[in-house]
Amino acid sequence: CGLMYAAKKYMVPYLVALCIKYIESNMSIRNVLTIFNFADLIQEEALMTMCINLICKHPSIILNNESEHISGLCLREILTQDYINISEIDLIKYAIHWAHNECIEQDMIPSKENVREVLLKFGCFYKLRFATLSLADLDCLRVLGILTNSELLHLNYIHTMRFKDERIPIMD
């Protein structure tokens, strides 16, 4: 990674390409978050895309790696993906867990308010797809406490309206 940083700094594109090729061939589930954080740090889009693709294929394994903490910008990038092999509620729970750890890392009390504030600070809160959740999942979020009462009411309204116009078949 140090060689790639120097190659980018001193604008040696051939060496950057070789480094990307080497990193890509050695990327695995165990090191993808480290590579993702590094790619974000040096703003290497091609490498970030490779990392995102691997993360989207194996999110449950990768995101539950307690030894690796990703940056808020990396989390936001993951949350913007349309195709990720994880349920929305599990992704939201991961984001909340990440924000809880981020509070601790920033010497903040990991209260519900601070967890929400961290998610907002990094632009992650509004990337969470709350409107796709079932009523049972919304109840789970109510317990976690990161949504306000008015947000929960709005989401319940959206959920109710989603099914309002469906016709009930008449049984013979």
Side-chain angles (χ1 to χ4, degrees), residues 21-39:
K21 192 173 185 176
Y22 174 79
I23 292 171
E24 179 183 16
S25 67
N26 289 290
M27 188 182 304
S28 70
I29 290 172
R30 282 182 272 136
N31 65 10
V32 68
L33 292 178
T34 302
I35 295 169
F36 193 35
N37 282 326
F38 174 72

Side-chain angles (χ1 to χ4, degrees), residues 34-93:
T34 302
I35 295 169
F36 193 35
N37 282 326
F38 174 72
D40 178 52
L41 177 71
I42 64 169
Q43 291 300 294
E44 183 53 55
E45 293 296 323
L47 199 51
M48 287 179 71
T49 300
M50 289 177 219
C51 291
I52 282 288
N53 289 338
L54 185 58
I55 291 168
C56 287
K57 288 179 187 171
H58 308 283
S60 297
I61 298 167
I62 294 168
L63 296 178
N64 289 322
N65 180 356
E66 289 292 327
S67 64
E68 188 67 42
H69 185 73
I70 63 171
S71 72
L73 297 174
C74 291
L75 176 61
R76 187 175 68 214
E77 185 63 31
I78 291 167
L79 294 175
T80 63
Q81 300 306 302
D82 289 328
Y83 303 104
I84 185 165
N85 190 21
I86 192 171
S87 68
E88 286 298 326
I89 188 65
D90 287 340
L91 189 58
I92 291 168
K93 285 178 181 178

Side-chain angles (χ1 to χ4, degrees), residues 40-157:
D40 178 52
L41 177 71
I42 64 169
Q43 291 300 294
E44 183 53 55
E45 293 296 323
L47 199 51
M48 287 179 71
T49 300
M50 289 177 219
C51 291
I52 282 288
N53 289 338
L54 185 58
I55 291 168
C56 287
K57 288 179 187 171
H58 308 283
S60 297
I61 298 167
I62 294 168
L63 296 178
N64 289 322
N65 180 356
E66 289 292 327
S67 64
E68 188 67 42
H69 185 73
I70 63 171
S71 72
L73 297 174
C74 291
L75 176 61
R76 187 175 68 214
E77 185 63 31
I78 291 167
L79 294 175
T80 63
Q81 300 306 302
D82 289 328
Y83 303 104
I84 185 165
N85 190 21
I86 192 171
S87 68
E88 286 298 326
I89 188 65
D90 287 340
L91 189 58
I92 291 168
K93 285 178 181 178
Y94 171 77
I96 293 169
H97 179 72
W98 174 88
H100 181 274
N101 289 342
E102 189 68 22
C103 285
I104 293 168
E105 213 170 273
Q106 294 182 17
D107 293 326
M108 297 168 62
I109 297 168
S111 66
K112 296 171 184 178
E113 295 80 13
N114 286 344
V115 166
R116 180 186 170 100
E117 192 59 39
V118 165
L119 288 168
L120 285 165
K121 175 183 170 186
F122 287 101
C124 296
F125 187 81
Y126 293 110
K127 301 290 182 195
L128 299 171
R129 294 173 267 227
F130 298 113
T132 65
L133 300 178
S134 68
L135 286 175
D137 290 340
L138 287 174
D139 282 341
C140 176
L141 286 181
R142 184 183 328 265
V143 172
L144 295 173
I146 66 158
L147 293 171
T148 64
N149 285 337
S150 62
E151 288 167 338
L152 284 167
L153 273 171
H154 183 71
L155 288 168
N156 280 323
Y157 175 78

